[in-house]
Amino acid sequence: GCLHNSPARRPEAVEILTQVSRVAAQFPPSSQNKVELLRQVTSLRADTERLQREHEAEIQSLRSDAERLQQGYRSYRADTERLQREYLVEIQSLRANTQRLQQEHEAEIQ
């Protein structure tokens, strides 16, 4: 994989590139420097892969957090809709009872 150009990764990418140019300036081409350069490149590659793995883990964690929040919201919305339906039924029943009592009361008065 490659380092994506996301804001979160930019500082690390810049840091790695800075390290690469520092290493290149430190070790002008020669046979003994080739070994050291290879060692540095291997180390930088390992750092890059580690950073990518960490970022991918963070992204995965954020995705599952988002999914949990969505599920929570869907569940909350379902509960709210169910309660609204239940309250509606209850209100209609109370209205009907009130009307019946009023009619009975009026009938008694007459």
Side-chain angles (χ1 to χ4, degrees):
C2 62
L3 278 177
H4 297 297
N5 198 21
S6 73
R9 288 193 186 167
R10 244 174 256 139
E12 282 113 347
V14 167
E15 174 57 35
I16 286 169
L17 288 176
T18 307
Q19 258 181 285
V20 168
S21 50
R22 200 182 303 126
V23 167
Q26 245 181 314
F27 302 99
S30 77
S31 54
Q32 71 261 30
N33 285 345
K34 270 183 190 164
V35 176
E36 181 55 26
L37 273 173
L38 268 175
R39 196 188 63 71
Q40 295 269 7
V41 165
T42 306
S43 160
L44 283 170
R45 195 170 283 145
D47 286 350
T48 306
E49 284 167 9
R50 180 183 51 76
L51 284 170
Q52 265 188 300
R53 278 194 307 275
E54 284 172 13
H55 282 303
E56 277 155 21
E58 280 170 36
I59 288 166
Q60 201 49 54
S61 163
L62 286 171
R63 276 204 193 106
S64 57
D65 286 352
E67 186 52 42
R68 265 201 307 280
L69 283 171
Q70 277 182 320
Q71 282 170 352
Y73 175 69
R74 281 194 292 267
S75 159
Y76 163 77
R77 208 171 55 191
D79 286 350
T80 307
E81 286 167 8
R82 180 181 49 76
L83 284 171
Q84 279 177 327
R85 283 192 302 272
E86 287 172 13
Y87 285 144
L88 204 62
V89 168
E90 206 169 325
I91 287 167
Q92 285 167 344
S93 157
L94 286 170
R95 272 202 197 116
N97 280 343
T98 307
Q99 275 181 323
R100 185 181 50 75
L101 287 169
Q102 260 182 321
Q103 286 163 354
E104 286 173 11
H105 181 66
E106 283 161 11
E108 278 172 27
I109 289 172
Q110 289 168 355

